[in-house]
Amino acid sequence: MIKSWSVSNTRKKLLELSLRDDLFDETTIDFESEEYKEAKKNFGAYYTPVQVVRYMVNKVDDILVNEFKLDRGFANNGTFDIKVESNPYKEGKKWKTEKIITVPQVAILDPACGTGTFMAEIIKLVKEKYFSGGNAVFYKKWIEDKNSLTSRLIGFEIMMTSYVVAHLKLRRVIQDTLGEIPDDSIKT
């Protein structure tokens, strides 16, 4: 069991660090400290160096474009309809047992997102690769689209501190890539 960790100490540390630019570097160092070793072992938490994350994110984007032929890889906001079985429901005078649902062509699920490094790097890659130069003017409209990347990035995390850091990191990355504080319509 963790003996010296508490929510109030972590919250205080995060608030102190949020005033500095190196918030995420510092919190990663905290996760590597003795205080978290037992919790990390119990939860299977591992730190992936950002250089490895960038390489993996770039490779997956290349596979989406070159192998799956999805224009713009992670930036693809396309959707398609599929028919799925459902509980019987009445539409007009007929009973139906199938529904048509719309799903994204590209969705990202990170079942153990930790501090959100993979998701943050995907957002950065999309901005740098697909919305640089003259295309930058389209980024705000694209990211606010209901089918945009922020609605297709899904992350789960069991460790509350990591979750909080991931949420803060993603908001900050979106803010940095937009050049302004995102409005509340952008899901994080």
Side-chain angles (χ1 to χ4, degrees), residues 70-187:
L70 289 171
D71 184 40
R72 297 164 42 104
F74 284 126
N76 185 316
N77 281 356
T79 60
F80 62 96
D81 293 335
I82 59 170
K83 193 181 288 188
V84 296
E85 290 184 24
S86 71
N87 291 330
Y89 68 97
K90 195 171 186 178
E91 189 175 279
K93 293 184 178 184
K94 291 187 175 187
W95 283 91
K96 297 191 173 189
T97 57
E98 293 179 330
K99 285 187 176 186
I100 296 176
I101 62 170
T102 302
V103 296
Q105 288 184 331
V106 179
I108 300 97
L109 172 63
D110 190 342
C113 69
T115 59
T117 303
F118 278 90
M119 293 187 287
E121 289 303 317
I122 290 170
I123 294 169
K124 289 177 189 177
L125 172 117
V126 166
K127 172 67 168 135
E128 293 165 8
K129 188 171 181 179
Y130 299 107
F131 292 97
S132 60
N135 289 330
V137 297
F138 302 109
Y139 183 69
K140 182 174 172 54
K141 184 177 180 188
W142 175 85
I143 205 160
E144 290 174 345
D145 184 285
K146 70 176 184 160
N147 297 320
S148 82
L149 184 63
T150 57
S151 69
R152 300 180 284 113
L153 276 176
I154 304 155
F156 296 99
E157 180 53 48
I158 196 167
M159 294 177 70
M160 185 53 79
T161 308
S162 298
Y163 168 79
V164 170
V165 171
H167 186 81
L168 292 170
K169 182 186 286 186
L170 293 177
R171 292 293 289 187
R172 185 166 179 178
V173 167
I174 292 169
Q175 177 181 345
D176 290 348
T177 59
L178 276 175
E180 62 187 62
I181 296 173
D183 79 29
D184 291 334
S185 68
I186 297 176
K187 299 175 186 176

Side-chain angles (χ1 to χ4, degrees), residues 23 30 32 38 40 46 48 52 55-58 63 70 91 123 126 129 132 146 157 162 164 166 170 179 181:
L23 165 65
D30 285 349
E32 295 300 321
E38 188 173 339
K40 286 173 53 176
Y46 294 93
T48 307
V52 173
Y55 176 81
M56 293 170 70
V57 165
N58 273 294
I63 290 169
L70 289 171
E91 189 175 279
I123 294 169
V126 166
K129 188 171 181 179
S132 60
K146 70 176 184 160
E157 180 53 48
S162 298
V164 170
L170 293 177
I181 296 173

